């Protein structure tokens, strides 16, 4: 039905997503600007790699990168569908969807939540925007890669939902870090405090998967030197997108604005490639 699928962006999310599709029997090729990342999956160029692909999935760091890929491949064949799983701005998404339609192609925005763990296990959540027909065409692929697929409406609405979702994640991460820093300053046992929060109203995905205190959760990035599941640099970008959306819509989001400033400052101080939970160290030091 989909023919060959080309995954563009083979980083911490794109590569396990491609593997998930491959393990389900899909014919998958891949491309990345990093030659080492694309080894064994790609031909000499993006255009050659994507030539036979009926579906092109993008998992890239910003709107400019996604636009470059779509613009490079748009005239290659008609009836191709672009499935963008990156987190980018709504305006760029809608512009690319319009360009795709004019070229006889489809475009679906489907940013994700769930981190590398979800990409590996096929348990991602997809926030989807696009026409019903185009979403129906990629639904099988989304079902292979994720467990929760929510279609919010027209093009750009998936990105709008992701901006709102990640604003909650950024604010929550700061709250968890501040609470654990305060608990430490009050000489509370961190493991017992985690057990309390997990069984009470403070429970959250962030708490369970991004607990910021090293050693408390074996799988958490904090226990592994804050190696990123989701980097502070990307969180700063997503929070900036949320503030851009808030400004455009006329909505005031003071907590989101503060979270955006905090993560931007943390990333700019040389910690952008660490996990978001590493901001705990900056909060502890004051």
């Amino acid at each position: 039905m989909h023919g060959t699928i080309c995954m563009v962006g083979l980083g911490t999310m794109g590569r396990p997503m491609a593997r998930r599709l491959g393990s389900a029997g899909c014919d998958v090729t891949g491309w990345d600007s990093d030659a080492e990342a694309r080894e064994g999956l790609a031909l000499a160029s993006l255009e050659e790699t994507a030539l036979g692909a009926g579906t092109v999935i993008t998992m890239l760091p910003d709107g400019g990168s996604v636009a470059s890929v779509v613009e490079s491949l748009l005239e290659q064949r008609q009836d191709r569908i672009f499935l963008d799983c990156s987190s980018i701005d709504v305006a760029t998404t809608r512009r690319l969807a319009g360009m795709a339609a004019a070229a006889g192609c489809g475009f679906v925005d489907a940013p994700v939540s769930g981190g590398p763990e979800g990409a590996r296990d096929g348990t991602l959540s997809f926030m989807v925007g696009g026409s019903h027909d185009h979403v129906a065409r990629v639904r099988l692929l989304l079902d292979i890669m994720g467990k929760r697929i929510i279609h919010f409406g027209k093009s750009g609405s998936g990105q709008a939902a992701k901006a709102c979702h990640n604003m909650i994640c950024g604010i929550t991460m700061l709250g968890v870090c501040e609470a654990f820093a305060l608990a430490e300053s009050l000489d509370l046992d961190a493991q017992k405090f985690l057990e309390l929060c997990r069984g009470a109203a403070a429970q959250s995905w962030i708490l369970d998967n991004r607990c910021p205190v090293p050693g408390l959760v074996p799988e958490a990035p904090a226990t592994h030197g804050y190696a990123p599941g989701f980097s502070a640099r990307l969180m700063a970008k997503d929070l900036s997108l949320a503030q851009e959306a808030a400004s455009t819509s006329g909505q005031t989001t003071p907590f989101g604005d503060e979270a955006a400033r905090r993560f931007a400052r943390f990333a700019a101080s040389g910690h952008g490639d660490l996990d978001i939970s590493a901001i705990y160290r900056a909060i502890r030091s004051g």
Side-chain angles (χ1 to χ4, degrees), residues 88-94 97 107-109 111 127-130 152-162:
I88 67 173
D89 61 287
V90 174
T92 297
T93 295
R94 290 178 176 163
F107 190 96
V108 172
D109 52 296
M127 294 146 269
V128 183
F152 283 90
K154 64 183 180 179
S155 294
S157 59
Q159 296 294 352
K162 179 63 184 291

Side-chain angles (χ1 to χ4, degrees), residues 49-213:
T49 303
L51 186 60
T55 304
V56 174
I57 303 176
T58 43
M59 177 54 88
L60 296 167
D62 54 61
S65 300
V66 177
S68 177
V69 169
V70 173
E71 290 164 2
S72 295
L73 302 180
L74 204 54
E75 302 299 330
Q76 201 174 58
R77 58 177 285 178
Q78 290 189 337
D79 202 35
R80 166 177 280 163
I81 191 156
F82 293 91
L83 174 59
D84 181 33
C85 298
S86 320
S87 295
I88 67 173
D89 61 287
V90 174
T92 297
T93 295
R94 290 178 176 163
R95 178 175 65 85
L96 294 176
M99 291 174 59
C105 297
F107 190 96
V108 172
D109 52 296
V112 307
S113 176
E117 313 96 312
R120 180 194 64 221
D121 299 336
T123 57
L124 293 171
S125 293
F126 287 93
M127 294 146 269
V128 183
S131 74
H132 286 284
D133 288 346
H134 292 156
V135 173
R137 283 180 58 187
V138 298
R139 178 73 196 215
L140 177 60
L141 303 182
L142 297 176
D143 284 337
I144 292 170
M145 296 184 288
K147 68 174 183 178
R148 184 178 294 107
I149 295 92
I150 302 175
H151 184 198
F152 283 90
K154 64 183 180 179
S155 294
S157 59
Q159 296 294 352
K162 179 63 184 291
C164 297
H165 173 275
N166 272 26
M167 188 170 72
I168 293 175
C169 293
I171 294 168
T172 303
M173 188 76 257
L174 291 178
V176 169
C177 288
E178 288 186 355
F180 272 91
L182 178 59
E184 180 183 358
S185 72
L186 295 171
D187 298 322
L188 293 179
D189 182 283
Q191 186 68 56
K192 290 180 179 179
F193 183 61
L194 174 63
E195 291 172 11
L196 165 70
C197 294
R198 278 180 158 176
Q203 191 279 332
S204 69
W205 187 95
I206 290 289
L207 180 73
D208 285 342
N209 293 274
R210 295 292 182 269
C211 179
V213 180

